[in-house]
């Protein structure tokens, strides 16, 4: 055991928080998976638990492997990954809209493994690192808006345009996080205002085109519109998922019904993924709900500590860029469950079942731990790295 800990570098508190969230997730996922078994008719509860544990173990392997990589490789690596991400997103969209009743324009199937991979999550991670690289490279010189449009916002815009048709909420989160990172990285505030205006205009233009040609993207605009109308209208038809989540939360009380004793898991779709927080509140009560919130805020605190201690600007922006979205996604998931926000389809990081979300969260955490484990990097060695040199070293 002692030799194992010697190989684990970086912030031990982050390692501990991740382990606590992972272990805690076993019971809610096992309990909530009864919906998939007895309502949907998919597998067994033990099978879903074993799959979740395997995904978490592979996630920890990703964290371990990534945190051993010097974080300077992520800078040039983001440049190499951007065209690959664009091709993956185009391939994902080209599959059509439905496969077996599921939205296939978000996922690709990993051959031989049988697990769906949501390409937008990889795209978001690559974008955040790419933006951190650009901001760090231009930290000491005045940023020209036209130059930044080509070098930073054109790749960002291309990726977001490819993600938007299938997943508006994910696109909105990426855009918000990139604007936040740009602000923290010293990108001029008036230019951020320009980009925000361009983004809103582009969204409006997309909606008009989608309404004009409804066969091109069937049901997507209608889905967004109905979710917003039902959320904003007190007399609107209550979303079935939200209604069941409210019942689960209302019946949880102070200490909950106890592990595995949720009733609403039998009626709540996505109870093991998008709405798992409602099941946690029902089974563990207000105490469990607040404890989960506290753990995520503790993770945010350690992420900020790591960013503050980082010895280069790129490292600071990298940690903020890949770390804050993890906590932000958790807050959105919990806000949807308690009906503060409309339904978005965002999972609860490290707790919800699902392969892609777990893997990409772990990859981001591995980057953060790589930064916290590094002591000798300098700005010059990172930002002067040629992406092709990095590819050559890797091979």
């Amino acid at each position: 055991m002692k030799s194992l800990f010697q190989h684990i570098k970086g912030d031990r508190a982050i390692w501990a928080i991740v382990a606590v969230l992972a272990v805690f997730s076993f019971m809610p996922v096992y309990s909530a998976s009864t919906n998939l078994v007895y309502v949907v008719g998919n597998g067994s509860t033990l099978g879903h638990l074993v799959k979740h544990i395997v995904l978490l173990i592979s996630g920890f392997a990703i964290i371990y492997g990534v945190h051993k990589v010097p974080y300077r490789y992520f800078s040039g690596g983001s440049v190499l990954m951007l065209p690959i991400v664009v091709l993956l997103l185009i391939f994902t969209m080209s599959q059509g809209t439905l496969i077996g009743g599921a939205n296939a324009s978000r996922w690709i199937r990993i051959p031989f493994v049988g697990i769906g991979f949501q390409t937008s999550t990889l795209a978001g991670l690559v974008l955040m690192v790419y933006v951190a690289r650009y901001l760090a490279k231009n930290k000491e010189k005045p940023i020209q808006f036209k130059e930044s449009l080509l070098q930073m916002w054109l790749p960002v815009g291309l990726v977001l345009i490819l993600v938007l048709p299938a997943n508006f909420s994910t696109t909105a989160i990426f855009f918000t996080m990139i604007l936040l990172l740009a602000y923290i990285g010293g990108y001029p505030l008036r230019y951020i205002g320009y980009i925000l205006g361009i983004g809103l205009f582009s969204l409006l233009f997309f909606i008009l085109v989608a309404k004009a040609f409804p066969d091109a993207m069937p049901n997507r605009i209608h889905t967004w519109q109905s979710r917003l109308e039902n959320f904003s209208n007190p007399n609107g038809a209550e979303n079935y998922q939200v209604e069941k989540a409210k019942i689960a939360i209302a019946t949880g009380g102070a200490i909950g019904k106890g592990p595995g004793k949720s009733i609403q898991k039998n009626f709540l779709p996505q109870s093991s993924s998008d709405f798992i927080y409602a099941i946690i509140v029902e089974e563990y009560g207000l105490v469990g709900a607040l404890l989960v919130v506290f753990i995520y805020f503790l993770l945010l605190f350690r992420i900020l500590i790591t960013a503050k201690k980082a010895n280069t600007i790129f490292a600071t922006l990298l940690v903020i860029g890949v770390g804050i979205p993890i906590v932000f996604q958790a807050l959105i998931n919990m806000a949807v469950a308690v009906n503060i926000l409309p339904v978005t389809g965002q999972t609860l990081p490290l707790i919800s079942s699902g392969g892609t979300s777990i893997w990409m969260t772990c990859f981001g955490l591995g980057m953060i731990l790589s930064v916290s484990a590094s002591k000798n990097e300098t700005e010059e060695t990172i930002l002067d790295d040629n992406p092709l040199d990095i590819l050559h070293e890797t091979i």
Side-chain angles (χ1 to χ4, degrees):
M1 183 65 72
K2 185 176 179 180
S3 61
L4 175 64
F5 282 115
Q6 287 176 348
H7 292 287
I8 293 176
K9 307 297 181 183
D11 191 314
R12 296 291 175 87
I14 292 178
W15 278 104
I17 291 167
V18 173
V20 167
L21 287 172
V23 172
F24 172 77
S25 73
F26 294 169
M27 278 306 298
V29 167
Y30 180 67
S31 175
S33 63
T34 56
N35 180 279
L36 295 172
V37 176
Y38 300 112
V39 178
V40 181
N42 179 10
S44 66
T45 52
L46 181 61
H48 285 290
L49 176 61
V50 170
K51 178 181 177 181
H52 181 65
I53 292 174
V54 169
L55 288 170
L56 283 172
I57 292 173
S58 63
F60 271 88
I62 290 171
I63 295 178
Y64 180 81
V66 173
H67 103 290
K68 289 289 189 180
V69 177
Y71 73 83
R72 66 186 179 90
Y73 286 105
F74 304 134
S75 172
S78 66
V79 179
L80 293 171
M81 283 299 298
L82 257 182
I84 296 174
V85 162
V86 170
L87 291 174
L88 283 173
L89 289 172
I90 292 172
F91 174 74
T92 306
M93 290 181 66
S94 69
Q95 296 182 108
T97 54
L98 293 176
I99 291 180
N103 189 339
S105 54
R106 298 184 185 188
W107 305 83
I108 56 175
R109 303 298 296 181
I110 300 176
F112 310 113
V113 181
I115 295 175
F117 186 86
Q118 194 168 1
T119 48
S120 59
T121 56
L122 173 62
L125 197 62
V126 172
L127 274 188
M128 298 307 292
V129 181
Y130 180 82
V131 172
R133 171 189 171 88
Y134 176 85
L135 294 170
K137 283 177 74 73
N138 293 275
K139 185 65 177 174
E140 302 301 327
K141 60 183 180 181
I143 292 178
Q144 302 299 320
F145 184 61
K146 289 183 180 180
E147 180 187 304
S148 68
L149 275 178
L150 290 173
Q151 295 185 11
M152 183 168 81
W153 294 112
L154 183 61
V156 168
L158 178 60
V159 171
L160 293 184
I161 287 170
L162 291 172
V163 174
L164 177 62
N167 202 330
F168 170 73
S169 61
T170 298
T171 307
I173 292 172
F174 289 168
F175 188 53
T176 303
M177 291 292 98
I178 289 169
L179 290 180
L180 176 63
L181 183 61
Y183 174 74
I184 293 172
Y187 193 77
L189 194 57
R190 69 181 184 278
Y191 294 165
I192 292 177
Y194 298 160
I195 295 299
L196 181 59
I198 293 171
L200 293 175
F201 175 80
S202 301
L203 176 62
L204 178 62
F205 180 74
F206 171 80
I207 292 173
L208 292 175
V209 170
K211 281 186 170 291
F213 304 97
D215 293 336
M217 282 163 287
N219 301 325
R220 295 312 303 161
I221 301 298
H222 175 72
T223 301
W224 305 348
Q225 185 176 341
S226 62
R227 283 178 175 178
L228 290 173
E229 287 177 352
N230 289 335
F231 177 76
S232 59
N233 184 4
N235 300 317
E238 185 76 86
N239 183 289
Y240 178 79
Q241 293 172 302
V242 174
E243 180 184 350
K244 295 304 177 185
K246 280 183 176 180
I247 295 172
I249 291 168
T251 55
I255 58 174
K257 294 179 177 178
K261 295 182 180 179
S262 164
I263 302 298
Q264 295 308 312
K265 67 187 179 185
N266 299 310
F267 309 101
L268 179 59
Q270 309 297 329
S271 57
S272 63
S273 54
D274 298 356
F275 281 87
I276 197 168
Y277 188 66
I279 305 303
I280 290 172
V281 178
E282 185 181 7
E283 294 189 348
Y284 300 92
L286 181 63
V287 173
L290 293 177
L291 182 61
V292 171
V293 174
F294 172 76
I295 293 173
Y296 280 114
F297 273 105
L298 188 60
L299 176 61
L300 175 62
F301 176 72
R302 295 310 308 178
I303 288 170
L304 295 177
I305 290 292
T306 302
K308 183 175 176 59
K309 288 183 177 179
N311 52 8
T312 65
I313 295 170
F314 172 72
T316 297
L317 294 175
L318 173 68
V319 170
I320 292 172
V322 301
I324 290 184
I326 295 173
V327 181
F328 189 63
Q329 180 183 328
L331 294 177
I332 288 176
N333 175 278
M334 293 184 282
V336 168
V338 299
N339 202 30
I340 295 176
L341 291 175
V343 176
T344 61
Q346 300 299 317
T347 57
L348 192 59
L350 297 171
I351 293 182
S352 294
S353 61
T356 309
S357 175
I358 291 173
W359 289 341
M360 291 300 103
T361 299
C362 289
F363 204 104
L365 290 166
M367 290 182 179
I368 295 168
L369 289 166
S370 172
V371 171
S372 66
S374 176
K375 306 296 180 187
N376 302 318
E377 301 287 3
T378 65
E379 211 74 59
E380 291 73 20
T381 61
I382 295 168
L383 301 178
D384 289 342
D385 265 343
N386 187 316
L388 294 177
D389 292 339
I390 291 176
L391 180 62
H392 177 73
E393 287 184 41
T394 305
I395 294 173

Coordinates of all heavy atoms in Angstrom, one line a residue, residues 36-91:
L36 N -34.1 0.7 -15.1 CA -33.6 0.2 -16.4 C -33.9 -1.3 -16.5 O -34.2 -1.8 -17.6 CB -32.1 0.4 -16.5 CG -31.6 1.8 -16.6 CD1 -30.1 1.8 -16.6 CD2 -32.1 2.5 -17.9
V37 N -33.9 -2.0 -15.4 CA -34.1 -3.5 -15.4 C -35.6 -3.8 -15.5 O -36.0 -4.6 -16.4 CB -33.5 -4.1 -14.1 CG1 -33.8 -5.6 -14.1 CG2 -32.0 -3.9 -14.0
Y38 N -36.4 -3.2 -14.6 CA -37.8 -3.7 -14.5 C -38.8 -2.9 -15.4 O -39.9 -3.3 -15.7 CB -38.3 -3.6 -13.1 CG -37.5 -4.5 -12.2 CD1 -36.6 -4.0 -11.2 CD2 -37.5 -5.9 -12.4 CE1 -35.8 -4.9 -10.4 CE2 -36.7 -6.8 -11.6 CZ -35.9 -6.2 -10.6 OH -35.1 -7.1 -9.8
V39 N -38.4 -1.6 -15.7 CA -39.3 -0.8 -16.6 C -38.9 -0.9 -18.0 O -39.7 -1.1 -18.9 CB -39.3 0.7 -16.1 CG1 -40.2 1.5 -17.0 CG2 -39.8 0.7 -14.7
V40 N -37.6 -0.7 -18.3 CA -37.0 -0.7 -19.7 C -36.8 -2.1 -20.1 O -36.8 -2.4 -21.3 CB -35.8 0.2 -19.8 CG1 -35.2 0.2 -21.2 CG2 -36.1 1.6 -19.3
G41 N -36.5 -3.0 -19.1 CA -36.1 -4.4 -19.5 C -34.7 -4.6 -19.9 O -34.4 -5.4 -20.8
N42 N -33.8 -3.8 -19.4 CA -32.4 -3.8 -19.8 C -31.5 -4.4 -18.7 O -31.2 -3.7 -17.7 CB -32.0 -2.4 -20.2 CG -30.6 -2.3 -20.6 OD1 -29.9 -3.3 -20.8 ND2 -30.1 -1.1 -20.7
G43 N -31.0 -5.6 -18.9 CA -30.0 -6.2 -18.0 C -30.5 -6.5 -16.6 O -31.7 -6.7 -16.3
S44 N -29.6 -6.5 -15.7 CA -29.8 -6.7 -14.2 C -29.2 -5.6 -13.4 O -28.3 -4.9 -13.9 CB -29.3 -8.1 -13.8 OG -27.9 -8.1 -13.9
T45 N -29.7 -5.5 -12.2 CA -29.2 -4.4 -11.3 C -27.7 -4.7 -11.0 O -26.9 -3.7 -11.0 CB -30.0 -4.3 -10.0 OG1 -30.0 -5.6 -9.4 CG2 -31.4 -3.8 -10.2
L46 N -27.3 -5.9 -10.7 CA -25.9 -6.3 -10.5 C -25.1 -6.0 -11.7 O -24.0 -5.5 -11.6 CB -25.8 -7.7 -10.1 CG -24.4 -8.2 -9.7 CD1 -23.8 -7.4 -8.5 CD2 -24.4 -9.7 -9.4
G47 N -25.6 -6.3 -12.9 CA -24.9 -6.0 -14.1 C -24.6 -4.6 -14.3 O -23.5 -4.2 -14.7
H48 N -25.6 -3.7 -14.0 CA -25.4 -2.3 -14.2 C -24.4 -1.7 -13.2 O -23.6 -0.9 -13.5 CB -26.7 -1.5 -14.0 CG -27.6 -1.6 -15.2 ND1 -27.4 -1.0 -16.4 CD2 -28.8 -2.3 -15.4 CE1 -28.3 -1.3 -17.3 NE2 -29.2 -2.1 -16.6
L49 N -24.4 -2.3 -11.9 CA -23.4 -1.9 -10.9 C -22.0 -2.3 -11.3 O -21.1 -1.5 -11.2 CB -23.8 -2.5 -9.6 CG -22.8 -2.3 -8.4 CD1 -22.7 -0.8 -8.2 CD2 -23.2 -3.0 -7.2
V50 N -21.9 -3.5 -11.8 CA -20.6 -4.0 -12.2 C -20.0 -3.2 -13.4 O -18.9 -2.8 -13.4 CB -20.6 -5.5 -12.7 CG1 -19.3 -5.9 -13.3 CG2 -20.9 -6.4 -11.4
K51 N -20.9 -2.8 -14.3 CA -20.5 -2.0 -15.5 C -20.0 -0.6 -15.0 O -19.0 -0.1 -15.4 CB -21.7 -1.8 -16.4 CG -21.3 -0.9 -17.6 CD -22.6 -0.7 -18.5 CE -22.2 0.3 -19.6 NZ -23.4 0.5 -20.5
H52 N -20.8 -0.1 -14.0 CA -20.4 1.2 -13.4 C -19.0 1.2 -12.7 O -18.2 2.1 -12.9 CB -21.5 1.7 -12.4 CG -21.2 3.0 -11.8 ND1 -21.2 4.2 -12.5 CD2 -21.0 3.4 -10.5 CE1 -21.0 5.2 -11.7 NE2 -20.8 4.7 -10.5
I53 N -18.8 0.1 -11.9 CA -17.6 -0.1 -11.2 C -16.4 -0.2 -12.2 O -15.3 0.4 -12.0 CB -17.6 -1.3 -10.3 CG1 -18.6 -1.0 -9.1 CG2 -16.3 -1.6 -9.7 CD1 -18.9 -2.2 -8.2
V54 N -16.6 -1.0 -13.3 CA -15.6 -1.2 -14.3 C -15.2 0.2 -15.0 O -14.1 0.5 -15.2 CB -16.0 -2.2 -15.4 CG1 -15.1 -2.2 -16.6 CG2 -16.1 -3.6 -14.8
L55 N -16.3 1.0 -15.2 CA -16.1 2.3 -15.8 C -15.3 3.2 -14.9 O -14.4 4.0 -15.3 CB -17.4 3.0 -16.2 CG -18.1 2.4 -17.4 CD1 -19.5 2.9 -17.5 CD2 -17.3 2.6 -18.7
L56 N -15.6 3.2 -13.6 CA -14.9 4.0 -12.6 C -13.4 3.5 -12.5 O -12.5 4.3 -12.4 CB -15.6 3.9 -11.3 CG -16.8 4.8 -11.1 CD1 -17.5 4.5 -9.8 CD2 -16.5 6.3 -11.2
I57 N -13.2 2.2 -12.5 CA -11.8 1.7 -12.4 C -11.0 2.1 -13.6 O -9.9 2.6 -13.5 CB -11.8 0.1 -12.3 CG1 -12.4 -0.3 -10.9 CG2 -10.4 -0.4 -12.5 CD1 -12.6 -1.8 -10.8
S58 N -11.6 2.0 -14.8 CA -11.0 2.5 -16.0 C -10.7 4.0 -15.9 O -9.7 4.6 -16.4 CB -11.7 2.1 -17.2 OG -13.0 2.8 -17.3
G59 N -11.7 4.7 -15.3 CA -11.5 6.2 -15.1 C -10.3 6.5 -14.2 O -9.6 7.4 -14.5
F60 N -10.2 5.7 -13.1 CA -9.0 6.0 -12.2 C -7.7 5.6 -13.0 O -6.7 6.2 -12.7 CB -9.2 5.1 -11.0 CG -9.9 5.8 -9.9 CD1 -11.3 5.8 -9.8 CD2 -9.2 6.6 -8.9 CE1 -12.0 6.4 -8.8 CE2 -9.9 7.2 -7.9 CZ -11.2 7.2 -7.8
A61 N -7.8 4.6 -13.9 CA -6.6 4.3 -14.7 C -6.2 5.5 -15.6 O -5.1 5.8 -15.8 CB -6.8 3.0 -15.5
I62 N -7.3 6.1 -16.1 CA -7.1 7.3 -16.9 C -6.4 8.4 -16.1 O -5.5 9.1 -16.5 CB -8.4 7.8 -17.6 CG1 -8.9 6.8 -18.6 CG2 -8.2 9.2 -18.2 CD1 -10.2 7.0 -19.2
I63 N -7.0 8.7 -14.9 CA -6.4 9.7 -14.0 C -4.9 9.4 -13.8 O -4.1 10.3 -13.9 CB -7.2 9.8 -12.7 CG1 -8.6 10.3 -12.9 CG2 -6.5 10.8 -11.7 CD1 -9.4 10.3 -11.7
Y64 N -4.7 8.2 -13.4 CA -3.3 7.8 -13.1 C -2.4 8.0 -14.3 O -1.3 8.6 -14.2 CB -3.2 6.4 -12.6 CG -1.8 5.9 -12.2 CD1 -1.3 6.2 -11.0 CD2 -1.0 5.2 -13.1 CE1 0.0 5.8 -10.6 CE2 0.2 4.8 -12.8 CZ 0.7 5.1 -11.5 OH 2.0 4.8 -11.2
G65 N -2.8 7.5 -15.4 CA -1.9 7.7 -16.6 C -1.7 9.1 -17.0 O -0.6 9.5 -17.3
V66 N -2.8 9.9 -17.0 CA -2.7 11.3 -17.5 C -1.9 12.1 -16.5 O -1.1 13.0 -16.9 CB -4.1 11.9 -17.6 CG1 -4.1 13.4 -17.9 CG2 -4.9 11.2 -18.8
H67 N -2.0 11.9 -15.2 CA -1.3 12.7 -14.2 C 0.2 12.4 -14.2 O 1.0 13.2 -13.7 CB -1.9 12.5 -12.8 CG -1.2 11.6 -11.9 ND1 -1.0 10.2 -12.0 CD2 -0.5 11.9 -10.7 CE1 -0.3 9.8 -11.1 NE2 0.1 10.7 -10.2
K68 N 0.6 11.3 -14.9 CA 2.0 11.0 -15.0 C 2.6 11.8 -16.3 O 3.8 11.8 -16.4 CB 2.2 9.5 -15.2 CG 2.0 8.7 -14.0 CD 3.1 8.9 -12.9 CE 3.0 8.0 -11.8 NZ 4.1 8.2 -10.8
V69 N 1.8 12.3 -17.1 CA 2.2 13.0 -18.3 C 2.5 14.5 -17.9 O 1.7 15.2 -17.3 CB 1.1 13.0 -19.4 CG1 1.6 13.8 -20.6 CG2 0.8 11.6 -19.8
P70 N 3.7 15.0 -18.3 CA 4.0 16.4 -18.0 C 3.0 17.3 -18.7 O 2.7 17.1 -19.9 CB 5.4 16.6 -18.6 CG 6.0 15.3 -18.6 CD 4.9 14.3 -18.9
Y71 N 2.4 18.3 -18.0 CA 1.3 19.0 -18.5 C 1.6 19.8 -19.7 O 0.7 20.3 -20.4 CB 0.6 19.8 -17.4 CG 1.4 21.1 -17.0 CD1 1.3 22.3 -17.7 CD2 2.2 21.0 -15.8 CE1 2.0 23.4 -17.3 CE2 2.9 22.2 -15.4 CZ 2.8 23.3 -16.2 OH 3.5 24.5 -15.8
R72 N 2.9 20.0 -20.0 CA 3.3 20.8 -21.2 C 2.8 20.1 -22.5 O 2.6 20.8 -23.5 CB 4.8 21.1 -21.2 CG 5.6 19.8 -21.4 CD 7.1 20.2 -21.3 NE 8.0 19.0 -21.5 CZ 8.4 18.6 -22.6 NH1 8.1 19.2 -23.8 NH2 9.2 17.5 -22.7
Y73 N 2.7 18.8 -22.4 CA 2.2 18.1 -23.6 C 0.8 18.4 -24.0 O 0.4 18.3 -25.1 CB 2.3 16.5 -23.4 CG 3.8 16.0 -23.4 CD1 4.4 15.7 -22.2 CD2 4.4 15.9 -24.6 CE1 5.7 15.2 -22.3 CE2 5.8 15.4 -24.7 CZ 6.4 15.1 -23.5 OH 7.7 14.6 -23.5
F74 N 0.0 18.8 -23.0 CA -1.4 19.1 -23.3 C -1.5 20.4 -24.1 O -2.5 20.5 -24.8 CB -2.2 19.3 -22.0 CG -2.1 18.1 -21.0 CD1 -1.8 18.2 -19.7 CD2 -2.2 16.8 -21.5 CE1 -1.7 17.2 -18.8 CE2 -2.1 15.7 -20.7 CZ -1.9 15.9 -19.3
S75 N -0.6 21.3 -24.0 CA -0.6 22.5 -24.8 C -0.6 22.2 -26.3 O -1.5 22.5 -27.1 CB 0.6 23.4 -24.4 OG 0.6 24.5 -25.3
G76 N 0.5 21.6 -26.8 CA 0.6 21.2 -28.2 C -0.4 20.1 -28.6 O -0.9 20.1 -29.7
G77 N -0.7 19.3 -27.6 CA -1.7 18.2 -27.9 C -3.1 18.7 -28.3 O -3.8 18.1 -29.1
S78 N -3.4 19.8 -27.7 CA -4.8 20.4 -28.0 C -4.8 20.9 -29.5 O -5.9 20.8 -30.1 CB -5.1 21.6 -27.1 OG -4.2 22.7 -27.3
V79 N -3.7 21.4 -30.0 CA -3.6 21.8 -31.4 C -3.8 20.6 -32.3 O -4.5 20.6 -33.4 CB -2.3 22.5 -31.7 CG1 -2.2 22.9 -33.2 CG2 -2.2 23.7 -30.8
L80 N -3.1 19.5 -32.0 CA -3.2 18.2 -32.7 C -4.6 17.6 -32.7 O -5.1 17.1 -33.7 CB -2.2 17.2 -32.2 CG -0.7 17.5 -32.4 CD1 0.2 16.5 -31.7 CD2 -0.4 17.5 -33.9
M81 N -5.3 17.8 -31.5 CA -6.6 17.1 -31.4 C -7.7 17.9 -32.0 O -8.8 17.2 -32.3 CB -6.8 16.9 -29.9 CG -6.1 15.8 -29.2 SD -6.5 14.2 -29.9 CE -8.2 14.1 -29.6
L82 N -7.6 19.2 -32.2 CA -8.7 19.9 -32.7 C -9.2 19.4 -34.1 O -10.4 19.2 -34.2 CB -8.3 21.4 -32.9 CG -8.8 22.4 -31.8 CD1 -8.3 23.8 -32.1 CD2 -10.3 22.3 -31.7
P83 N -8.4 19.2 -35.1 CA -9.0 18.6 -36.3 C -9.6 17.2 -36.1 O -10.6 16.9 -36.8 CB -7.7 18.6 -37.3 CG -6.5 18.7 -36.4 CD -7.0 19.5 -35.2
I84 N -9.0 16.4 -35.2 CA -9.6 15.1 -35.0 C -10.9 15.2 -34.4 O -11.9 14.5 -34.7 CB -8.6 14.3 -34.0 CG1 -7.3 14.1 -34.7 CG2 -9.3 13.0 -33.6 CD1 -6.2 13.4 -33.8
V85 N -11.1 16.2 -33.4 CA -12.4 16.4 -32.8 C -13.4 16.9 -33.8 O -14.6 16.4 -33.8 CB -12.2 17.5 -31.7 CG1 -13.6 18.1 -31.3 CG2 -11.6 16.9 -30.4
V86 N -13.0 17.8 -34.7 CA -13.9 18.2 -35.8 C -14.4 17.1 -36.6 O -15.6 16.9 -36.9 CB -13.3 19.3 -36.6 CG1 -14.1 19.6 -37.8 CG2 -13.1 20.6 -35.8
L87 N -13.5 16.2 -37.0 CA -13.9 15.0 -37.8 C -14.8 14.1 -37.1 O -15.8 13.6 -37.7 CB -12.6 14.3 -38.3 CG -11.7 15.0 -39.3 CD1 -10.4 14.2 -39.5 CD2 -12.5 15.2 -40.6
L88 N -14.5 13.9 -35.8 CA -15.4 13.0 -35.0 C -16.8 13.6 -34.9 O -17.8 12.9 -34.9 CB -14.8 12.8 -33.6 CG -13.6 11.9 -33.4 CD1 -13.0 11.9 -32.0 CD2 -14.1 10.4 -33.8
L89 N -16.9 14.9 -34.7 CA -18.2 15.6 -34.6 C -19.0 15.5 -35.9 O -20.2 15.2 -35.9 CB -18.0 17.0 -34.2 CG -17.6 17.3 -32.7 CD1 -17.3 18.8 -32.5 CD2 -18.6 16.8 -31.7
I90 N -18.3 15.7 -37.0 CA -18.9 15.5 -38.3 C -19.4 14.1 -38.5 O -20.5 13.8 -39.0 CB -18.0 15.9 -39.4 CG1 -17.7 17.4 -39.4 CG2 -18.5 15.6 -40.8 CD1 -16.6 17.9 -40.3
F91 N -18.6 13.1 -38.2 CA -19.0 11.7 -38.3 C -20.2 11.4 -37.4 O -21.1 10.7 -37.8 CB -17.8 10.8 -37.9 CG -18.1 9.3 -37.9 CD1 -18.3 8.6 -39.0 CD2 -18.3 8.7 -36.6 CE1 -18.7 7.3 -39.0 CE2 -18.6 7.3 -36.6 CZ -18.8 6.6 -37.8

